Amino acid sequence: MHVSTSREAAASGDLHISGRDPAPTGVSRAMQTMDALSPTPDGALASPASVRNAGPILEVLKAHLPARGRVLEIAGGSGQHSVAFAGALPGLTWTPSDPSPEARTSMAAWAGQARLANLQPPLALDMLDEASWPTEQTDAVICINMIHISPWAATEGLMRLAGRALRRPGGLLALYGPYREAGVELAPSNAAFDADLKRRNPDWGLRDSDAVIAEAKAAGLALTQRIAMPANNIMLLFRAL
C-alpha cells in the first residue's frame, strides 16, 4: 500500500494513493501508496514502481515458490504485480487482495487485459478485520510494500493470517520493502522516506526488521533468508514450522 515526492520516486520501489493525505489513524479503504498512479482508459491504474520492482521480486519468487500451488497476495495495489507474477508462474493459482475498492477495480482491469487462467478475482482482505480473511490454506503469502504504510496492527494481522493460512510445514511468507536493521546504517533516502511517512501518518514508518521477525516467530513462522534488493529494499522470507 503506498506519492512521487517520496523516497520511492527517487530511489525505491513502493507500490500502490496519489493526490491526498490519508486519514490520521487506522487503515483507510482508499488506495494507499507512495507512488504516483496514472489512470488508464479501461479503469486500470498504472504504477511506475510496480514496473520497476516486479522483475527483481519475481526472480526471488521463482527461486522460492513451489512449481504448483496457491498464492495469496496481500495489499496488491494496482494489480500489475499480480498479472506479472501470475503470467510468469503459470503453475501457481494467484489470488490478489486489497481492502481498497479502487485497488480491486484496477486489479480486475489489468486481469481483464491479461486473461490469465491462473489469476483469480481480487479479494477484499483487510489485515485489521479478521472476518475478511479466507479460511482455506495456501502455499504462500506475498506482501509487497504494506508494512511501512500501515499501522503496526496490520503487521500483527498479517502474521496471524499467515500463521493460520500457510500449509505446514514449509509454507512461504515473502515480504518486500524498506526496513530498519540492527547494525545497518539507514540509507539517506530511506531516512527521508521514513520521515515523510510519519509526517503523513504517525502510525506509519519503516519498521525494525527484528520486530517483524519476532512477530512472525510468535505466529509460528521462521525467518529463513534475508535478500538485499535494489534501491535499499530487502526481502524477508519465512517458512511455516
Side-chain angles (χ1 to χ4, degrees), residues 71-137:
V71 179
L72 176 63
E73 182 184 4
I74 303 300
S78 70
Q80 288 164 282
H81 279 156
S82 306
V83 168
F85 300 157
L89 302 165
L92 295 171
T93 299
W94 198 279
T95 302
S97 73
D98 202 288
S100 162
E102 181 185 11
R104 297 195 302 275
T105 295
S106 181
M107 289 177 181
W110 283 115
Q113 294 178 32
R115 299 182 181 275
L116 298 172
N118 63 324
L119 181 57
Q120 301 298 297
L123 302 178
L125 302 191
D126 187 332
M127 293 303 96
L128 300 184
D129 180 9
E130 292 196 29
S132 72
W133 298 357
T135 56
E136 63 271 14
Q137 287 195 311

Side-chain angles (χ1 to χ4, degrees), residues 177-238:
Y179 292 86
R180 294 180 177 273
E181 298 182 273
V184 178
E185 184 177 359
L186 192 63
S189 59
N190 276 359
F193 183 50
D194 183 47
D196 187 50
L197 288 170
K198 290 174 179 175
R199 179 189 64 80
R200 293 173 181 278
N201 188 323
D203 288 335
W204 293 0
L206 271 61
R207 307 302 181 187
D208 291 334
S209 62
D210 286 346
V212 174
I213 292 166
E215 198 64 39
K217 184 177 180 179
L221 307 171
L223 178 71
T224 58
Q225 200 159 354
R226 173 209 180 274
I227 302 172
M229 301 294 285
N232 302 311
N233 289 290
I234 63 174
M235 287 192 74
L236 299 176
L237 305 183
F238 302 84

Side-chain angles (χ1 to χ4, degrees), residues 1-141:
M1 310 186 328
H2 317 294
V3 195
S4 60
T5 57
S6 71
R7 173 199 67 102
E8 166 52 14
S12 182
D14 287 14
L15 172 73
H16 329 309
I17 68 183
S18 301
R20 60 183 179 271
D21 280 350
T25 58
V27 172
S28 170
R29 290 185 180 273
M31 193 174 181
Q32 304 298 338
T33 176
M34 297 305 292
D35 190 23
L37 301 176
S38 302
T40 67
D42 61 359
L45 296 171
S47 163
S50 293
V51 174
R52 287 195 296 272
N53 63 29
I57 294 171
L58 178 59
E59 289 307 305
V60 175
L61 297 181
K62 283 180 176 179
H64 294 277
L65 286 172
R68 298 190 177 278
R70 299 173 60 86
V71 179
L72 176 63
E73 182 184 4
I74 303 300
S78 70
Q80 288 164 282
H81 279 156
S82 306
V83 168
F85 300 157
L89 302 165
L92 295 171
T93 299
W94 198 279
T95 302
S97 73
D98 202 288
S100 162
E102 181 185 11
R104 297 195 302 275
T105 295
S106 181
M107 289 177 181
W110 283 115
Q113 294 178 32
R115 299 182 181 275
L116 298 172
N118 63 324
L119 181 57
Q120 301 298 297
L123 302 178
L125 302 191
D126 187 332
M127 293 303 96
L128 300 184
D129 180 9
E130 292 196 29
S132 72
W133 298 357
T135 56
E136 63 271 14
Q137 287 195 311
T138 189
D139 296 284
V141 174

